[in-house]
Amino acid sequence: MIRRFFRYYRPYTKLFVLDFSCAVLAALLELCFPLAVNHIVDRLLPGKDWGLIVWACAALLALYLVSTGLNYIVTYWGHKLGINIEFDMRRRLFGHIQKLSFRFFDNNKTGHLMSRMTNDLFEIGEMAHHGPEDVFIAVMTLIGAFAMMLTINWKLACLTFLVVPLLIWLVVACNMKMVHASKRMFSEIADVNARVEDSVSGIRVVQTFSNEKHEMDKFMVSNRSFRQAKLQSYRIIAFGSSGMYMLMRLISLFVLICGAWFVVHGQLSYGQFVGFLLLINIFFKPIEKINAFLENYPKGMAGFKRFTEIIDTEPDVADAPDAVEVRSLRGEIRFEKVTFGYEDHAKVLKEVDLAIHAGETVAFVGPSGAGKTTLCSLIPRFYEIDGGKHQDRRHRHPADEARLAPLADRHCAAGRVPVLRIAAGQHRLRQAWSDG
């Protein structure tokens, strides 16, 4: 799954290298500040050379300016990388949905598809930017800070590192709970979107029959479920964040007490003590980055899994390898013992025989659910029949031997929709008329 995700970085390799390189350089410059303070306190202050101290501070200012520029690149261009990946995924997802068969839309609510096109991909874009970069820099900074702490005083460094396993345990435990909470949250917001879409699309019927209260009751069920799912996820985040804060403050206090003891016993200089305290703050930053990544990672991966579920869905109706190009439609339509049924439903059509000659006008009349719309949907192969034969003699080939796009392009239908798009309807009528 992760390898599949990284394929979307390929078109933006240069942008990724730029963002990644600047982030690494910014992290390295961050490590220089405690060493510079250590040098100033232990070497320059005792010498009382004010000019040299000013030049050292000016050099630090220059490093800060460079670091500011690098952070700008990481923030803007790094997010641009994530946005580009999100853009490509959304384009691919929309294009793929356009190719799916009617049966897919019969089984999936519009609101759920909208949620996957918007909320899920937003979380994926955030993970695409912060994921690889934050993990690598966090590990690099963690190792670098610990190595510098060892060079200052290895005993104090080892004592400090003893608390790290507690932090790791807290992060991993919260991450495991966040995976399940994120999945539930995505599912619940999809239900909310589906409920809104159903209600708004049928608002004329709702208001005609004064059904607003019933729609509100149904909406509140979904809305309350989403509220509970979101509260649960933030409860986990709050527990992890407050636990991390407490552990880091305890480490700072522990270092302050132990460091003071080493200073009193002459095993640590004042400059080393100050530098070590500054390194502790740098040591915490990668842990905070990893914690933030582990908050975003479950959301991003849950969204990516939902994205791949649709991308991996193949159309039920597809062109045969030897499909024929339809160039003209003149002749008759014939159904021979055609049988068809929707999923988990009884057969709508059973061994139907039908012949429509060229130039004939035919009306299908019957109660709702009799199969009128289904019969019309089978002519351009919006569904595959379960049995029998659909012979479209206008091009002297069975319908399943013709390519889908030209076949559907030469049919015109005005469905039962709340709003008929006039311009599109006129275009289709003219096209069908010109094709005969």
Side-chain angles (χ1 to χ4, degrees), residues 253-268:
L253 185 60
F254 178 76
V255 169
L256 186 63
I257 294 173
C258 294
W261 189 89
F262 282 116
V263 171
V264 169
H265 289 78
Q267 298 182 27
L268 197 68

Side-chain angles (χ1 to χ4, degrees), residues 1 4 8 303-313:
M1 183 66 70
R4 186 174 180 180
Y8 290 93
F304 187 67
K305 287 176 182 177
R306 286 160 58 87
F307 166 81
T308 55
E309 285 174 5
I310 297 182
I311 292 297
D312 293 340
T313 302

Side-chain angles (χ1 to χ4, degrees), residues 42-111:
D42 278 348
R43 304 233 180 138
L44 299 185
L45 283 180
K48 299 180 181 179
D49 189 341
W50 179 247
L52 194 56
I53 292 174
V54 171
W55 277 109
C57 292
L60 274 179
L61 177 61
L63 288 179
Y64 281 143
L65 291 174
V66 173
S67 184
T68 301
L70 293 173
N71 282 312
Y72 174 84
I73 294 174
V74 170
T75 302
Y76 176 73
W77 293 96
H79 277 99
K80 184 177 181 180
L81 171 67
I83 291 169
N84 287 345
I85 292 174
E86 179 186 346
F87 171 82
D88 289 346
M89 286 184 175
R90 185 172 288 113
R91 177 181 58 188
R92 185 183 177 192
L93 183 61
F94 183 80
H96 186 72
I97 287 176
Q98 298 293 304
K99 300 174 185 176
L100 294 177
S101 310
F102 278 22
R103 195 181 298 272
F104 172 82
F105 298 98
D106 293 339
N107 299 327
N108 290 274
K109 296 180 180 180
T110 304

Side-chain angles (χ1 to χ4, degrees), residues 118-128 186 296 299-300 303:
T118 53
N119 299 336
D120 291 9
L121 290 180
F122 174 76
E123 297 295 345
I124 292 172
E126 285 296 301
M127 187 182 71
F186 279 134
N296 293 326
K299 298 178 185 178

